[in-house]
Amino acid sequence: GDSVTQMEGPVTLSEEAFLTINCTYTATGYPSLFWYVQYPGEGLQLLLKATKADDKGSNKGFEATYRKETTSFHLEKGSVQVSDSAVYFCALTDKGGGTSYGKLTFGQGTILTVHP
Amino acid sequence: GAGVSQSPSNKVTEKGKDVELRCDPISGHTALYWYRQRLGQGLEFLIYFQGNSAPDKSGLPSDRFSAERTGESVSTLTIQRTQQEDSAVYLCASSLQGGVPTEAFFGQGTRLTVV
């Protein structure tokens, strides 16, 4: 079945540092890929997405590129801020046929803490 | 409504009792998901409803867990004979399914505590 693997956390950075959170996936169909973020005390919300190979999703200074050849969707940000401290989840929905169509599968989440 | 609504927001129950959690998805969203998030853990898939198709129940952890959805509207997740390990935040999400599955919108969750 489909699966998503994220780099182990937690990740602790100083403000203005470069961020990479690795994400790789396994899917039987043709997935769309997502990064969701959960800020402290808040619900899950979409950060960015990409629906086909070589697409780049971007939002709030974060970027991720859909790499079919390496089955990856790594999240990057050039200069993190304290306000970026949150839990980040990589996810996919499978566009293949059958009951898996549209099913949303998450990675285990990566806790990011940014210090001033 | 404007977003996914879950009720109750908090529930404390005694071990062995049954609980029912409710989710109102965004109007028109054909897909609905239930997840469980234990303290400090990731998202654990429970069940997925997609339009009128048979639901994907592969994530339900035991036969004490069940879920229903009426058409493309409200869903209820029922946990029978609750155990302490059922304590978690139960999250519901919905999305608009079409040719390309779109993003899922999450509710605020129901925090279940079994004492």
Side-chain angles (χ1 to χ4, degrees):
Chain A
D2 298 342
S3 66
V4 177
T5 302
Q6 291 181 231
M7 68 183 288
E8 294 288 331
V11 175
T12 303
L13 296 173
S14 297
E15 205 164 26
E16 299 184 2
F18 184 85
L19 169 71
T20 299
I21 301 177
N22 290 338
C23 171
T24 57
Y25 68 88
T26 302
T28 54
Y30 307 95
S32 294
L33 302 174
F34 305 86
W35 277 99
Y36 283 82
V37 59
Q38 188 174 35
Y39 297 105
E42 298 186 16
L44 270 162
Q45 57 187 278
L46 180 71
L47 179 60
L48 53 84
K49 66 180 179 182
T51 58
K52 62 183 187 296
D54 299 325
D55 270 1
K56 177 185 283 188
S58 61
N59 185 26
K60 299 181 180 181
F62 290 89
E63 292 184 340
T65 301
Y66 189 142
R67 300 288 189 198
K68 187 177 179 181
E69 64 275 16
T70 54
T71 61
S72 66
F73 193 55
H74 304 322
L75 182 69
E76 296 182 337
K77 186 173 185 180
S79 176
V80 293
Q81 305 300 312
V82 172
S83 57
D84 294 327
S85 297
V87 183
Y88 292 82
F89 293 92
C90 186
L92 68 82
T93 58
D94 197 336
K95 300 193 290 289
T99 58
S100 67
Y101 179 81
K103 180 179 174 180
L104 187 59
T105 301
F106 281 88
Q108 66 269 37
T110 301
I111 299 172
L112 170 66
T113 303
V114 180
H115 293 297
Chain B
V4 177
S5 176
Q6 291 187 245
S7 61
S9 55
N10 280 285
K11 176 71 176 179
V12 180
T13 189
E14 292 180 353
K15 179 181 173 181
K17 294 286 180 66
D18 297 351
V19 295
E20 189 174 275
L21 312 180
R22 178 187 170 102
C23 173
D24 280 281
I26 293 173
S27 178
H29 279 194
T30 54
L32 186 147
Y33 315 82
W34 283 98
Y35 294 87
R36 178 167 71 178
Q37 188 175 28
R38 289 196 172 107
L39 186 64
Q41 304 287 314
L43 287 159
E44 179 184 3
F45 168 75
L46 296 177
I47 189 168
Y48 163 52
F49 296 91
Q50 176 201 330
N52 294 321
S53 301
D56 180 344
K57 302 180 180 181
S58 60
L60 294 178
S62 77
D63 59 6
R64 296 186 296 105
F65 287 73
S66 63
E68 293 183 350
R69 187 181 186 192
T70 306
E72 294 183 352
S73 60
V74 171
S75 176
T76 55
L77 176 69
T78 302
I79 309 173
Q80 296 178 310
R81 306 180 303 281
T82 52
Q83 304 295 313
Q84 287 187 329
E85 63 262 28
D86 299 334
S87 296
V89 176
Y90 288 82
L91 293 169
C92 176
S94 70
S95 68
L96 183 63
Q97 298 289 4
V100 175
T102 62
E103 68 184 271
F105 293 83
F106 281 81
Q108 291 297 309
T110 294
R111 183 177 297 278
L112 176 66
T113 304
V114 182
V115 297

